[in-house]
Amino acid sequence: MEILSNRILQMSESETLAMTRIARELKAQGKDVISLSIGEPDFNTPEIVKEAAKKAIDNNYTHYPPVPGYADLREAISKKFKRDNNLDYKPEQIVVSTGAKQSIFQTVMALVNPGDEVIIPTPFWVSYKEIVKVAEAKTVYVKTTLANNFKVTPQQLEAAITPKTKLIMFSSPSNPTGMLYTKEELKGIADVLAKHPYVFAMADEIYEHINFEGKHESLAQFDYIKDQVITVNGVAKGFAMTGWRIGFIGANVKIAKACDKLQGQVTSATCSIAQRATIIAMELNPVDNKDIIDMRNKFRERRDLMFKLLKDIPNINVILPQGAFYFFPEVNYYYGKSFKDYKINNSNDLAMYLLYEANVALVPGAAFGDDNCIRFSYATSDNLLIEAVRRIKEALLKLQ
Ligand code: GLU
């Protein structure tokens, strides 16, 4: 007799975390594996933020915080939304959670009933579809391709909306493609939402500060649909604070209250010390803060290096990402080919081949809903990137 719930049985392990786990295990066995799998800045958290955490412990911020986050943290996030995104979210519209992943999870659970439809443009971040599964809703995929810069059009969205549609989920800057939606493109999406007042959009902006094109654009800037948008953000990527687990939403009060209620039954609140440190992170202005600017510049240099390196691999199709720290090239030329016992039929096979033959961990495109591609995270040192791509090229050229 099966002891686990259908909900858990149907759900897949996070494939970004799975590849990272396998790479760690191989390294522990002494294998020289280069991991370009997880999307995690290799920088340290800014000193001033770390100091704030130490002070929080000394000042005994060790008790339960309010469920949606400390009032002064929500005030600081409200100011951040205004300063960086020109968004007016009052503190009561903000809920602070244990990572943007929990923010997204709560948003979906708060909005979606079993059987509702959730539109997810492909490629998408791996956890969206699994969270929708837990909510027992139906994912409706809308395909975008490298040829159209992996961006969904208003026409595609309009065609996918049915009376059962409740939510659209997307990220900009995008994980895994690194593409950005322009203000005009977001306006196109906003105009579709305006026609469907019961359809909501979860705008995942966690890569906001890793944007090589200039100003970040938020979907919620269009006032006429602002109440239909749940803006998700956090400190993991822009402030090199992945381990601190702080994410947050800005949303209409009804949705924020629902997420607060759910959070109160799940985690009570998120870590008091990480919250105190996040107040300081929120005060860092991305326009002139050296830590944020230095990280972004380093990521830009690596992006340019990686673009040059990948362009040099025969028969892969790559476009220049505009943000985040991923490349998502098309690699399907190599499908149908073999080397030794390896037969490559899809992105999973290719990722496994590159892991064992080249000792480089990547995440198969299938995990993001596009089996023609494979994801490279370039959040690591130049030397490792050069060596990883050298090994990958060598392994690909062996495939016949
Ligand atoms: N979001 C990062 C990634 O895509 C971190 C791992 C995860 O939570 O998926 O690699």
Side-chain angles (χ1 to χ4, degrees):
M1 157 107 175
E2 178 55 64
I3 60 164
L4 298 178
S5 69
N6 291 339
R7 193 176 302 113
I8 283 299
L9 291 172
Q10 278 166 25
M11 190 183 179
S12 313
E13 179 181 5
S14 161
E15 294 189 60
T16 45
L17 302 184
M19 276 311 268
T20 309
R21 174 176 53 72
I22 298 170
R24 251 188 224 138
E25 286 164 7
L26 290 174
K27 271 191 209 165
Q29 292 165 20
K31 296 245 161 51
D32 168 29
V33 172
I34 302 176
S35 181
L36 306 186
S37 54
I38 200 161
E40 165 159 42
D42 56 330
F43 302 104
N44 292 324
T45 300
E47 287 303 321
I48 184 174
V49 175
K50 292 197 282 191
E51 283 309 318
K54 292 176 201 165
K55 233 165 73 195
I57 297 173
D58 289 340
N59 290 339
N60 294 310
Y61 278 99
T62 53
H63 301 274
Y64 284 126
V67 173
Y70 286 115
D72 50 353
L73 172 56
R74 292 197 292 155
E75 186 66 49
I77 294 171
S78 167
K79 286 191 181 138
K80 169 260 172 302
F81 272 130
K82 186 70 192 166
R83 178 194 64 208
D84 301 344
N85 315 113
N86 199 23
L87 297 179
D88 290 302
Y89 284 121
K90 296 195 185 76
E92 64 264 33
Q93 296 180 275
I94 291 163
V95 178
V96 183
S97 302
T98 308
K101 198 179 278 186
Q102 191 190 4
S103 301
I104 296 169
F105 183 84
Q106 289 177 174
T107 299
V108 173
M109 294 308 273
L111 282 172
V112 167
N113 280 317
D116 283 352
E117 291 177 3
V118 177
I119 297 176
I120 307 184
T122 65
F124 47 77
W125 177 50
V126 291
S127 293
Y128 295 166
K129 72 173 186 326
E130 300 305 320
I131 291 173
V132 172
K133 263 192 216 167
V134 177
E136 297 177 45
K138 183 176 164 219
T139 35
V140 174
Y141 297 120
V142 176
K143 191 170 165 52
T144 76
T145 59
L146 186 135
N148 59 13
N149 290 329
F150 291 117
K151 290 196 250 190
V152 71
T153 63
Q155 294 74 17
Q156 283 180 299
L157 279 184
E158 185 68 68
I161 290 175
T162 75
K164 286 191 169 168
T165 307
K166 192 64 188 279
L167 184 64
I168 299 167
M169 301 172 83
F170 76 107
S171 58
S172 177
S174 160
N175 177 4
T177 69
M179 301 317 283
L180 309 175
Y181 282 85
T182 62
K183 185 171 179 181
E184 292 65 40
E185 288 161 346
L186 291 175
K187 167 125 190 358
I189 296 176
D191 290 348
V192 174
L193 284 173
K195 286 192 231 156
H196 303 276
Y198 293 101
V199 175
F200 293 81
M202 189 286 298
D204 176 354
E205 305 189 352
I206 190 77
Y207 293 92
E208 168 183 7
H209 294 319
I210 306 163
N211 170 334
F212 313 125
E213 298 290 309
K215 191 175 167 301
H216 172 77
E217 298 291 349
S218 294
L219 180 61
Q221 71 183 284
F222 303 101
D223 276 342
Y224 54 98
I225 48 101
K226 180 162 173 257
D227 272 354
Q228 288 164 262
V229 180
I230 301 88
T231 305
V232 174
N233 211 324
V235 293
K237 314 297 182 179
F239 301 89
M241 290 176 70
T242 46
W244 301 72
R245 310 308 305 128
I246 294 278
F248 50 83
I249 58 162
N252 80 44
V253 173
K254 194 166 185 173
I255 296 173
K257 279 208 167 118
C259 291
D260 176 347
K261 180 160 86 172
L262 178 56
Q263 180 155 294
Q265 298 290 14
V266 179
T267 57
S268 302
T270 196
C271 170
S272 55
I273 297 150
Q275 288 196 48
R276 299 314 297 168
T278 299
I279 295 179
I280 300 302
M282 290 297 99
E283 286 169 1
L284 304 180
N285 188 337
V287 170
D288 58 20
N289 179 262
K290 190 169 168 346
D291 289 307
I292 302 173
I293 294 171
D294 285 353
M295 275 193 268
R296 181 168 45 237
N297 287 343
K298 192 68 212 163
F299 280 129
R300 184 192 284 111
E301 278 172 37
R302 288 176 183 168
R303 182 223 27 195
D304 293 344
L305 167 70
M306 197 65 179
F307 189 56
K308 226 172 72 206
L309 295 169
L310 291 176
K311 281 286 226 194
D312 198 38
I313 300 179
N315 301 309
I316 77 167
N317 201 357
V318 56
I319 50 174
L320 187 70
Q322 303 166 300
F325 33 64
Y326 305 110
F327 275 83
F328 199 62
E330 269 176 5
V331 287
N332 52 337
Y333 168 85
Y334 292 96
Y335 299 174
K337 300 190 183 296
S338 339
F339 177 68
K340 291 188 193 157
D341 288 342
Y342 295 103
K343 172 113 182 78
I344 313 299
N345 284 321
N346 51 45
S347 61
N348 284 305
D349 295 345
L350 191 66
M352 285 304 149
Y353 172 68
L354 293 175
L355 181 60
Y356 291 105
E357 186 60 29
N359 281 341
V360 180
L362 306 173
V363 186
F368 305 92
D370 191 336
D371 195 35
N372 288 331
C373 299
I374 200 159
R375 192 188 80 171
F376 292 71
S377 161
Y378 59 87
T380 195
S381 70
D382 294 5
N383 286 346
L384 285 179
L385 293 175
I386 292 168
E387 175 59 12
V389 178
R390 187 195 67 72
R391 292 184 196 177
I392 289 169
K393 185 175 170 187
E394 193 175 274
L396 289 176
L397 292 177
K398 287 185 202 160
L399 290 170
Q400 296 292 326

